[in-house]
Amino acid sequence: MSSDTLFGTGAALPPAYPERAAWGTAPKLRQWQSEALEKYFRESPSDFLAVATPGAGKTTFALRVATELVDRGIVNRITVVAPTDHLKRQWADAAARVGLAIDPNFKNADGRHGGAFIGVAVTYAQVASKPMLHRAKTEAARTLVILDEIHHGGDALSWGDGIREAFEPAARRLALTGTPFRSDTAAIPFVEYAEDRDGIRRSRADYTYGYGQALRDHVVRPVMFMAYSGQMRWRTSGGEEMAASLGEAAVTKDITAQAWRTALNPAGEWIPAVLAAADKRLTEVRRTVHDAGGLVIATDHDDARAYAGQLKKITGESPTVILSDDAKASSKIEEFSEGDKRWMVAVRMVSEGVDVPRLAVGVYATSTATPLFFAQAVGRYVRARRRGETASIFLPSVPNLMALANQLELERDHALDRPEKDDEGFGLEDGLMEAANREDKASDALTKQKFEALESQASFDRVLFDGGEFGTGGEMGSEEELDFLGIPGLLDADQVGQLLRQRQQEQQSRRKGRPTAAPAAEPIIVDHRQLTELRGQLAKNVS
């Protein structure tokens, strides 16, 4: 039975196992999608976990599986489970384009969905609150359950049990994620774990398509990380005045967290300077990608509104502000995605799964730094629409963010057998930031003082790309900074690397040509990968 006979004259679906799709030919599947699809139907498993880097096309793969299963009579109902309400609607819209009618407005109180729909889209929280309701719906038909961003299945202690209870009777379960790991040791439902040589149980995917492979296939964009440092000065809740350079290796983690917090303070000079630099980069990108947009990810609502005000002063245009308590948040995201406005500012809700393909420039202005959140945030910028598009992300020059940026291509699995607070050395500043905020509130009654950011100044540090580091640093607006802000917006990954090395050599040559008080020593050719390893080792030793 064809999809046309079942669903009417919907959009034509691609062939199941086509030859390698030419760039820009939407009707055909990408090579990884074809390979994963072939494996799925060859093995016909009850459970299948597909791990594919953000932007690679997990939704297209899942909907192709769904239509095949329906056409073959294996399933006659579909349930999509997603982390947020916005993603429910995004899934329903994508399904409608291939002739699958999914209801994203189903509520637990409804009991059953309308007869015009083949299934529903719900959130993990919705399922966990009424697992027996969803179990009954699952048992009532031959159901395919698509579990989008499956790592959210362990978000709350009771969620895993509730999701297992609801979907254990399903005919098929298809789990998807771009980040198959968590920042804790909560088990992810319907994911297989296998012991490695060290006796640690790690998640096992049925098909994996990583960022490095996707980059080589031109499926995702190459990402340049523009790191900014600077001098910070603040007063602690105990009244002590402190000063430090942002990202300085020879300081404690709590000082790093406080300096980072000072940099993100909207009243200082660091964040407006970095926003202005990011807008310059966006202007350059828009010379060749005319609708390119930017996204600032903020820590909280107050910061988001303040950053939006600063962007309006810089650009003369009011950015789109996305707050989690805004009932119109989803419509605002869709409007921004379809328009050509320059900037969007959001807290956490745009960090995962939300599809805004024109995002090309980002500012990581949040204190959240777990590998999971960082990977999902970066995933908002890597979706390629045409070959040669690049992404540029501006971020504070702090050690753990630098490490995460340098390990963008690292493939991680979810490990169950490790201490909950040991996230491979990353994300520790999250706890320090939270502790600092709690300390402010608890100490106010005793000291009548609180943490106060006194002064912040920004300076250009370096560019991180493909595990390498480029640039000799410089003041804001300096030739050293503008060399990198002015890189064209349409380049392949190899061209980006070549141009960065060229800029590096030019800066070193300029420095050699400047007059110095003493004769210049012979230039030392530094191995950037060795330098990265040494910095990481130094940070570990200091901590």
Side-chain angles (χ1 to χ4, degrees), residues 53-224:
T53 188
K58 293 184 292 295
T59 302
T60 298
F61 164 70
L63 292 175
R64 191 67 185 88
V65 169
T67 54
E68 282 285 323
L69 289 175
V70 171
D71 286 353
R72 297 181 188 193
I74 297 172
V75 303
N76 58 5
R77 181 170 295 171
I78 299 168
T79 298
V80 178
V81 191
T84 65
D85 287 333
H86 180 83
L87 289 179
K88 288 194 308 180
R89 287 184 283 275
Q90 196 165 286
W91 268 97
D93 290 342
R97 287 193 288 271
V98 295
L100 294 172
I102 301 292
D103 181 8
N105 299 312
F106 173 81
K107 298 180 178 60
N108 287 346
D110 295 340
R112 59 189 303 173
H113 61 269
F117 297 99
I118 194 172
V120 298
V122 294
T123 64
Y124 284 97
Q126 191 174 346
V127 173
S129 67
K130 292 283 186 180
M132 294 308 296
L133 166 68
H134 293 276
R135 183 184 180 94
K137 287 178 64 62
T138 303
E139 289 176 331
R142 299 186 305 277
T143 304
L144 164 67
V145 180
I146 298 174
L147 298 152
D148 186 28
E149 305 296 355
I150 182 62
H151 54 273
H152 280 285
D155 274 1
L157 191 59
S158 62
W159 281 23
D161 292 337
I163 291 162
R164 288 187 189 91
E165 181 72 28
F167 300 125
E168 186 273 332
R172 294 289 179 92
R173 289 177 294 266
L174 176 59
L176 310 169
T177 183
T179 49
F181 52 90
R182 292 181 55 82
S183 299
D184 56 26
T185 57
I188 304 171
F190 304 119
V191 169
E192 179 185 356
Y193 290 86
E195 283 193 8
D196 62 14
R197 288 179 296 181
D198 298 323
I200 296 175
R201 291 171 295 166
R202 295 184 180 275
S203 59
R204 175 180 290 175
D206 295 285
Y207 190 90
T208 300
Y209 186 62
Y211 174 80
Q213 187 179 352
L215 188 62
R216 290 189 290 274
D217 292 342
H218 307 290
V219 169
V220 295
R221 297 169 177 160
V223 181
M224 292 185 295

Side-chain angles (χ1 to χ4, degrees), residues 373-442:
F373 184 84
F374 186 85
Q376 288 287 356
V378 172
R380 298 316 97 219
Y381 308 93
V382 301
R383 185 181 299 273
R385 299 176 297 176
R386 57 173 169 153
R387 186 165 177 168
E389 288 184 339
T390 62
S392 305
I393 299 178
F394 291 68
L395 73 176
S397 183
V398 293
N400 62 327
L401 288 184
M402 299 298 96
L404 290 171
N406 272 318
Q407 296 176 1
L408 183 61
E409 295 188 25
L410 179 67
E411 293 181 7
R412 298 170 181 265
D413 296 312
H414 181 222
L416 289 181
D417 306 296
R418 59 185 172 84
E420 287 193 19
K421 296 300 182 184
D422 176 20
D423 197 9
E424 300 182 29
F426 300 123
L428 298 178
E429 278 77 359
D430 289 358
L432 290 168
M433 288 282 194
E434 291 173 6
N437 290 332
R438 287 195 301 271
E439 179 186 332
D440 289 348
K441 294 176 182 177

Side-chain angles (χ1 to χ4, degrees), residues 280-532:
K280 287 179 185 176
R281 176 67 188 144
L282 181 59
T283 296
E284 181 61 41
V285 173
R286 285 170 74 106
R287 294 184 195 279
T288 49
V289 185
H290 304 300
D291 67 340
L295 168 65
V296 180
I297 300 178
T299 300
D300 56 40
H301 289 193
D302 291 339
D303 283 355
R305 294 187 185 95
Y307 298 162
Q310 290 166 344
L311 280 170
K312 184 177 181 181
K313 291 179 182 177
I314 293 166
T315 66
E317 177 186 282
S318 294
T320 298
V321 180
I322 308 296
L323 303 177
S324 55
D325 58 357
D326 186 352
K328 298 180 179 179
S330 289
S331 60
K332 286 182 178 179
I333 293 172
E334 292 171 4
E335 183 181 349
F336 181 85
S337 180
E338 295 166 2
D340 64 353
K341 287 185 69 172
R342 292 178 72 89
W343 284 99
M344 175 164 62
V345 184
V347 186
R348 292 180 65 108
M349 68 173 297
V350 184
S351 67
E352 180 178 64
V354 173
D355 184 11
V356 185
R358 70 185 188 89
L359 288 177
V361 176
V363 180
Y364 194 89
T366 174
S367 57
T368 303
T370 61
L372 174 61
F373 184 84
F374 186 85
Q376 288 287 356
V378 172
R380 298 316 97 219
Y381 308 93
V382 301
R383 185 181 299 273
R385 299 176 297 176
R386 57 173 169 153
R387 186 165 177 168
E389 288 184 339
T390 62
S392 305
I393 299 178
F394 291 68
L395 73 176
S397 183
V398 293
N400 62 327
L401 288 184
M402 299 298 96
L404 290 171
N406 272 318
Q407 296 176 1
L408 183 61
E409 295 188 25
L410 179 67
E411 293 181 7
R412 298 170 181 265
D413 296 312
H414 181 222
L416 289 181
D417 306 296
R418 59 185 172 84
E420 287 193 19
K421 296 300 182 184
D422 176 20
D423 197 9
E424 300 182 29
F426 300 123
L428 298 178
E429 278 77 359
D430 289 358
L432 290 168
M433 288 282 194
E434 291 173 6
N437 290 332
R438 287 195 301 271
E439 179 186 332
D440 289 348
K441 294 176 182 177
S443 63
D444 279 352
L446 297 175
T447 66
K448 302 301 182 184
Q449 292 179 318
K450 61 180 180 178
F451 176 95
E452 182 184 1
L454 300 176
E455 184 181 9
S456 64
Q457 295 177 336
S459 60
F460 172 67
D461 185 6
R462 58 191 185 271
V463 174
L464 285 70
F465 178 75
D466 191 25
E469 300 185 358
F470 306 88
T472 55
E475 298 300 317
M476 302 301 289
S478 65
E479 190 174 3
E480 287 78 7
E481 181 196 25
L482 295 176
D483 279 344
F484 295 105
L485 293 182
I487 287 176
L490 275 179
L491 293 172
D492 279 345
D494 291 342
Q495 294 173 316
V496 173
Q498 182 179 354
L499 194 53
L500 288 172
R501 288 188 290 273
Q502 179 183 328
R503 294 283 196 268
Q504 172 93 337
Q505 291 170 357
E506 290 171 355
Q507 290 190 4
Q508 289 174 338
S509 297
R510 286 201 300 264
R511 288 207 165 192
K512 281 178 62 179
R514 290 173 183 168
T516 56
E522 287 295 318
I524 299 173
I525 306 302
V526 179
D527 184 328
H528 64 78
R529 297 185 188 277
Q530 183 182 21
L531 184 61
T532 300

